[in-house]
Amino acid sequence: MNLFIILAVFTGIAAYDLPPVIKNKQWRNLALYIVFFLFILLIGILMSLDVTIPSPIKAIQNFYQNVLHLAFKVS
Amino acid sequence: MKLERDSISPNQFMFSIICFMHAIVLRSGFIISITRQDSWIMSITGFIFSLLPLGVYVALMKNYPNKNLIEINQAVFGKIVGNLISLFYLFFFLSLAALNTHDLGHFVLSYMLPETPVAIIVLFFLGACFYSLKKGVKNIMHLSTLIAFVTLIAMIINSVLIAKDTHFEFIFPLLQLEPEKYVQGTVSIGAVVMGEVLVFTMLTPMLKNGKKVGKSLFFGMLISTFSSVVVMIRNILTLGPLVTVVTLPTFESIRNVSLADIFTRLESIYAILLVILFVVRVSILIYVSVLAMTQIFSKESPIVPELAYENSPREKKKHQNQPPFLLLTTALTFFYSLIVFESPIENSHWGATVAPFFSLTFELLLPAITLVAAIFRKIVSKKKEVNA
């Protein structure tokens, strides 16, 4: 069900965004758009399938705390 | 997606900063858990600390007038290295948008719609942000004057109405904690609250009088500091030791307002105001993310001179030649906000430990490196001129 919603929403996004790009023959913009679109769609599909996506903020938290040793102590 | 030059006044710019700051200032819980009854002093010291990054931004903007952060990076480091550095800023803006959306989602879930799935709350919230951005960021900035006034008036009214329930002794003892706590409080306020004014260095080409950008940034931060001090003192005087326990002191403090059974449940007004402030805040964050993305990846600059845009259809067409990133960025913010933290406890742990250092990397370290490189570049080019 979630996967269906994600696919429907992203079809809507493409239908909303792409006609002017194609009409004006902005092929470079279209290529850029497709790369971002597929990346975000992939995240959406994975989330709809309950795949755990690691949070970038948690990775940064680990890096600052354990590699750079830059973190305040919790009282 | 375009940014029109010379389209807003310095005052509108300043009020946008106040709205942007207020959204987080009103949620002062994280700092009170560190410095307790002395937190209002941290607002002042945090403001003084944030003058350091502000000085760096003003110096950069003086060296490169009418350019935003991405354009300055491109001018100082060249297009390739400049864009690589700008990618870090893009990540920072997107992360801020996701973190703020996550905060808003959990606030609404906890205090307003406890049974609603957070994804639905975030979806409607980001829908409002997308709609307001579709109408133009210029309009959001024009509207922020009104929103800032309403917020400040609401803050004054709430403080007056709660005055009879305050206990002045709750503010004592003063300055009795370990010095490290005050350093932590100062850096946290300076970086996590005040330093986020960095976002506005992306919008400086919008200003009608570019020379006044430093003044607008300074007074925006100063007024936000003043209101933050008032809000924190009010919360401490009202809640006493409880202020460190509750997750949202301002909300709990306003909940106590009851005047002759007529003025009650004023926290609902606060909640609505907070949501509106967050719409402004996250809209601006999404906008600067899209702007950065477009400037990094697109050939054409999205920043257009307003007059040229109005008078020349050719110019208009040229600047419409931008990839439509707005809806995609909003979708990315949606997914990012859902995965950023699993619980509010993780969020507050991040805010109290790593967030100040993470923010300072983008708010102070990178701009300072850019400033040093800009000065070095100027010296080298002057020497070359002398030799020639």
Side-chain angles (χ1 to χ4, degrees):
Chain A
M1 181 63 187
N2 282 348
L3 182 63
F4 175 75
I5 294 171
I6 291 286
L7 292 175
V9 167
F10 273 83
T11 309
I13 291 176
Y16 181 83
D17 279 342
L18 286 182
V21 182
I22 295 166
K23 196 178 160 192
N24 295 325
K25 296 178 182 169
Q26 299 163 0
W27 306 125
R28 184 189 149 90
N29 288 346
L30 182 68
L32 270 173
Y33 183 91
I34 288 171
V35 172
F36 283 112
F37 182 87
L38 291 177
F39 170 67
I40 299 163
L41 176 65
L42 179 70
I43 296 173
I45 290 173
L46 290 175
M47 284 182 72
S48 70
L49 296 172
D50 286 332
V51 176
T52 311
I53 299 169
S55 162
I57 289 290
K58 281 190 192 168
I60 287 164
Q61 197 169 8
N62 275 331
F63 179 71
Y64 273 75
Q65 252 172 343
N66 302 326
V67 180
L68 299 178
H69 300 288
L70 278 175
F72 285 119
K73 283 176 191 159
V74 190
S75 51
Chain B
M1 177 58 69
K2 62 184 190 299
L3 191 145
E4 291 167 24
R5 279 194 200 277
D6 307 336
S7 56
I8 60 158
S9 71
N11 279 344
Q12 285 166 340
F13 195 71
M14 183 186 79
F15 283 115
S16 310
I17 294 167
I18 294 170
C19 281
F20 188 84
M21 297 278 179
H22 248 104
I24 197 156
V25 160
L26 287 172
R27 304 195 68 229
S28 52
F30 81 99
I31 200 72
I32 286 182
S33 66
I34 304 166
T35 44
R36 298 160 193 264
Q37 72 274 14
D38 294 330
S39 299
W40 62 277
I41 303 170
M42 297 305 102
S43 283
I44 299 166
T45 52
F47 168 70
I48 295 166
F49 177 80
S50 67
L51 293 178
L52 181 65
L54 180 67
V56 175
Y57 309 151
V58 172
L60 275 174
M61 284 179 284
K62 264 194 179 169
N63 278 301
Y64 296 91
N66 291 325
K67 285 191 189 301
N68 73 1
L69 199 56
I70 307 293
E71 289 173 314
I72 292 173
N73 280 334
Q74 289 170 346
V76 174
F77 298 107
K79 194 128 192 179
I80 296 169
V81 181
N83 281 347
L84 278 175
I85 292 171
S86 299
L87 279 174
F88 286 101
Y89 286 112
L90 172 62
F91 173 71
F92 182 56
F93 298 145
L94 281 171
S95 298
L96 285 184
L99 287 164
N100 281 284
T101 306
H102 178 271
D103 280 350
L104 189 278
H106 282 270
F107 165 71
V108 174
L109 183 74
S110 308
Y111 292 95
M112 296 163 89
L113 304 167
E115 301 291 321
T116 313
V118 75
I120 301 293
I121 297 167
V122 167
L123 188 68
F124 277 96
F125 170 73
L126 287 174
C129 294
F130 173 74
Y131 178 77
S132 55
L133 282 174
K134 248 339 223 186
K135 292 286 170 193
V137 71
K138 196 169 83 174
N139 297 326
I140 297 175
M141 298 188 92
H142 288 177
L143 198 62
S144 54
T145 307
L146 176 71
I147 298 170
F149 268 112
V150 171
T151 311
L152 291 171
I153 289 167
M155 183 193 79
I156 293 164
I157 291 173
N158 286 334
S159 303
V160 170
L161 290 177
I162 201 79
K164 68 177 175 57
D165 295 318
T166 54
H167 303 274
F168 202 67
E169 63 274 15
F170 284 153
I171 210 156
F172 299 107
L174 277 177
L175 302 171
Q176 296 292 311
L177 300 168
E178 308 90 74
E180 302 90 66
K181 297 260 179 197
Y182 296 114
V183 173
Q184 186 178 358
T186 301
V187 175
S188 297
I189 291 268
V192 179
V193 181
M194 295 293 162
E196 286 179 9
V197 80
L198 167 83
V199 167
F200 284 84
T201 58
M202 286 293 292
L203 303 172
T204 46
M206 284 180 88
L207 261 180
K208 268 181 191 147
N209 190 346
K211 282 180 186 167
K212 286 190 175 172
V213 63
K215 229 177 177 180
S216 299
L217 289 169
F218 176 79
F219 282 106
M221 287 163 70
L222 187 69
I223 294 169
S224 302
T225 302
F226 171 74
S227 58
S228 162
V229 169
V230 172
V231 167
M232 282 193 187
I233 290 180
R234 183 194 64 196
N235 295 346
I236 293 162
L237 295 185
T238 319
L239 298 172
L242 269 180
V243 80
T244 55
V245 182
V246 296
T247 47
L248 204 51
T250 307
F251 196 81
E252 300 299 339
S253 165
I254 297 171
R255 208 172 239 180
N256 289 331
V257 173
S258 174
L259 202 71
D261 286 335
I262 300 168
F263 289 108
T264 56
R265 303 299 307 259
L266 289 188
E267 71 272 15
S268 45
I269 296 176
Y270 161 74
I272 293 165
L273 266 178
L274 193 59
V275 172
I276 295 171
L277 286 170
F278 264 91
V279 169
V280 173
R281 188 177 166 85
V282 174
S283 296
I284 290 174
L285 285 167
I286 292 176
Y287 182 79
V288 296
S289 304
V290 176
L291 192 63
M293 216 184 266
T294 312
Q295 284 182 291
I296 293 168
F297 295 108
S298 179
K299 264 184 179 174
E300 305 277 358
S301 170
I303 304 174
V304 296
E306 191 177 41
L307 279 175
Y309 188 80
E310 277 173 6
N311 296 339
S312 158
R314 205 173 161 187
E315 276 288 321
K316 191 174 173 179
K317 200 173 175 189
K318 184 178 151 193
H319 289 289
Q320 275 174 345
N321 187 13
Q322 310 293 339
F325 284 146
L326 180 57
L327 202 45
L328 279 185
T329 308
T330 313
L332 182 61
T333 309
F334 172 77
F335 292 125
Y336 193 178
S337 71
L338 294 180
I339 60 162
V340 70
F341 290 119
E342 277 157 32
S343 71
I345 297 163
E346 280 183 346
N347 193 359
S348 55
H349 183 260
W350 155 263
T353 56
V354 177
F357 296 102
F358 172 68
S359 295
L360 278 178
T361 309
F362 303 94
E363 293 165 0
L364 185 60
L365 183 67
L366 285 180
I369 291 171
T370 310
L371 182 63
V372 171
I375 293 168
F376 183 73
R377 214 183 151 99
K378 229 178 188 179
I379 293 168
V380 170
S381 66
K382 260 187 188 171
K383 265 189 181 173
K384 269 185 187 171
E385 269 176 33
V386 171
N387 290 339

